[in-house]
Amino acid sequence: MWATLLRHPEKFVSVDSSMFFDPEITSSEYNWRYGDNLAWDQAEVLRLCNGDVEAHLYAHMDFDGDVRVDGDGVELIVGRRGTGLEYPFCLLELYDLACEVEAQAKEDEA
């Protein structure tokens, strides 16, 4: 359809968008945003974390808090501190948030 709207459709080249996940031709931010580590819903975040978000965070970064996953997003709780991410988000954002929550909880203890 797109090619029919162009003034010079013979110059249009269709490509498979998955080629943009190649780290040699695109940024890591693009991969984080659109790649296989993006959680669009509860089922996807559980798939990315092999069914257990809390165990996944502990294995990757020693996160020692509670995790609640629901239809709106993920909530991370350490001590009296808690915050969350709404879908969609990438795992890198979840890791960053887990670090923030733990750091804030440590400040509260001090």
Side-chain angles (χ1 to χ4, degrees):
M1 178 67 176
W2 176 251
T4 62
L5 300 174
L6 299 173
R7 286 186 184 181
H8 302 284
E10 69 279 358
K11 293 182 179 180
F12 177 75
V13 177
S14 179
V15 295
D16 180 2
S17 60
S18 67
M19 72 178 267
F20 294 115
F21 295 128
D22 182 347
E24 291 186 19
I25 64 171
T26 193
S27 70
S28 56
E29 180 184 347
Y30 181 90
N31 283 321
W32 294 331
R33 184 170 297 172
Y34 301 108
D36 193 35
N37 65 355
L38 189 66
W40 289 95
D41 56 26
Q42 184 175 3
E44 189 65 16
V45 75
L46 292 172
R47 182 191 69 78
L48 292 169
C49 295
N50 296 319
D52 190 337
V53 180
E54 193 169 323
H56 180 83
L57 289 175
Y58 184 78
H60 284 79
M61 55 188 305
D62 294 330
F63 177 76
D64 192 25
D66 294 321
V67 178
R68 294 187 186 136
V69 181
D70 61 28
D72 296 324
V74 175
E75 185 178 10
L76 304 175
I77 303 162
V78 177
R80 293 181 290 138
R81 289 280 186 166
T83 190
L85 286 173
E86 292 183 0
Y87 302 114
F89 62 84
C90 67
L91 285 184
L92 182 62
E93 291 174 294
L94 185 62
Y95 299 157
D96 289 346
L97 185 62
C99 288
E100 284 179 37
V101 172
E102 282 194 325
Q104 291 171 350
K106 287 179 183 177
E107 286 178 17
D108 290 346
E109 292 174 4

